[in-house]
Amino acid sequence: MLSSLIFDMDGVLVDSMPYHAEAWMQVSREVGANVTSEDIYEIEGANHRLGLQWLFEKAGGNIDPAKYDTILQRKVEIFTSIADVKPFDGMADCLKAMKNKFQLAVVTGSERVTVESFMDKFFPGIFDVIVSGEDVHYGKPYPEPYLKAVDLLGIEKEECLVVENAPMGVESAKRAGLYCVGVPTYVSPNKLSQADIVLKDHSSLTDYLYRHLPDYSQ
């Protein structure tokens, strides 16, 4: 029986990835390793340190690992200064309805201070468990983030479903042995082909979730 719902944050709960992409592009130019927005969306979901490593390798950059912390601080600084993040339409009301029946969790590669800020602002009191990029050693696409969420929720794998919008996030959920719903927010649907089901958009997602409520009628 379904008892829990687990959500990625960026691109599923809040429309934030364009600002993350711009911040990464700016900081990459500052260190001489130019990346594109498409590069960012391809590795969306990875924690910052792992994402940084992959991005600069893909761009052919040769970045001293000793500089990672400074670069990451700069990225967060840029993101904070430009971001005008908002929740996707309908998600807050949908989550409030889901809260009456399910345990809810967030699994994201973002840093905890950012996650908690968005949750407090847009979805206060909604989530029972938060797993941030800082809470795991191996972030998405490795299974550790979702396995940690299942453990913290105290459930069996068969009792939950995951909502993801990024290829690495879908891979992480499936490697953890979980049912995964894909929403192609920033990438083409075929990029999420590993998901068990790929929906069209957030309107389709909220409708899909409402259908899990016993009193839902269209």
Side-chain angles (χ1 to χ4, degrees):
M1 176 179 288
L2 188 64
S3 71
S4 305
L5 307 175
I6 307 176
F7 297 85
D8 177 36
M9 183 181 74
D10 299 296
V12 172
L13 300 178
V14 295
D15 190 5
S16 53
M17 277 307 299
Y19 305 107
H20 282 295
E22 178 59 31
W24 275 121
M25 288 188 291
Q26 285 192 37
V27 79
S28 75
R29 289 193 294 268
E30 291 176 4
V31 297
N34 292 340
V35 297
T36 67
S37 59
E38 290 76 16
D39 292 330
I40 307 300
Y41 294 142
E42 286 289 333
I43 61 90
E44 180 191 347
N47 64 33
H48 278 169
R49 182 169 290 275
L50 193 57
L52 176 66
Q53 178 182 342
W54 283 337
L55 278 175
F56 288 150
E57 285 178 357
K58 184 171 183 177
N62 183 21
I63 307 300
D64 182 357
K67 297 181 179 179
Y68 280 5
D69 287 341
T70 300
I71 295 170
L72 292 177
Q73 289 172 8
R74 176 63 178 148
K75 182 268 172 181
V76 172
E77 175 185 304
I78 296 170
F79 174 79
T80 302
S81 70
I82 66 174
D84 183 21
V85 176
K86 293 179 174 62
F88 286 100
D89 289 346
M91 285 306 299
D93 288 341
C94 181
L95 290 172
K96 289 176 184 176
M98 296 300 112
K99 181 71 173 174
N100 295 325
K101 181 175 173 61
F102 302 108
Q103 293 190 95
L104 302 179
V106 174
V107 172
T108 175
S110 293
E111 66 280 355
R112 178 164 285 273
V113 64
T114 300
V115 183
E116 292 182 345
S117 173
F118 288 156
M119 295 306 102
D120 290 344
K121 182 176 182 180
F122 300 125
F123 313 107
I126 292 294
F127 289 96
D128 303 286
V129 165
I130 293 175
V131 178
S132 73
E134 299 163 64
D135 298 324
V136 295
H137 184 69
Y138 293 104
K140 303 173 187 178
Y142 297 98
E144 184 182 349
Y146 282 110
L147 292 176
K148 186 175 184 69
V150 168
D151 182 59
L152 291 172
L153 288 166
I155 60 172
E156 299 297 324
K157 294 181 180 181
E158 296 76 17
E159 295 180 56
C160 69
L161 66 79
V162 171
V163 181
E164 266 286 355
N165 76 296
M168 284 192 174
V170 171
E171 182 179 347
S172 174
K174 294 311 300 177
R175 289 173 69 177
L178 306 180
Y179 187 89
C180 185
V181 177
V183 183
T185 314
Y186 307 117
V187 298
S188 60
N190 66 292
K191 295 284 188 179
L192 307 181
S193 59
Q194 289 188 61
D196 294 278
I197 181 173
V198 179
L199 303 176
K200 181 180 179 181
D201 51 26
H202 276 76
S203 178
S204 301
L205 171 62
T206 54
D207 187 64
Y208 176 88
L209 294 172
Y210 279 127
R211 290 179 184 279
H212 287 84
L213 294 177
D215 58 349
Y216 174 78
S217 59
Q218 190 168 1

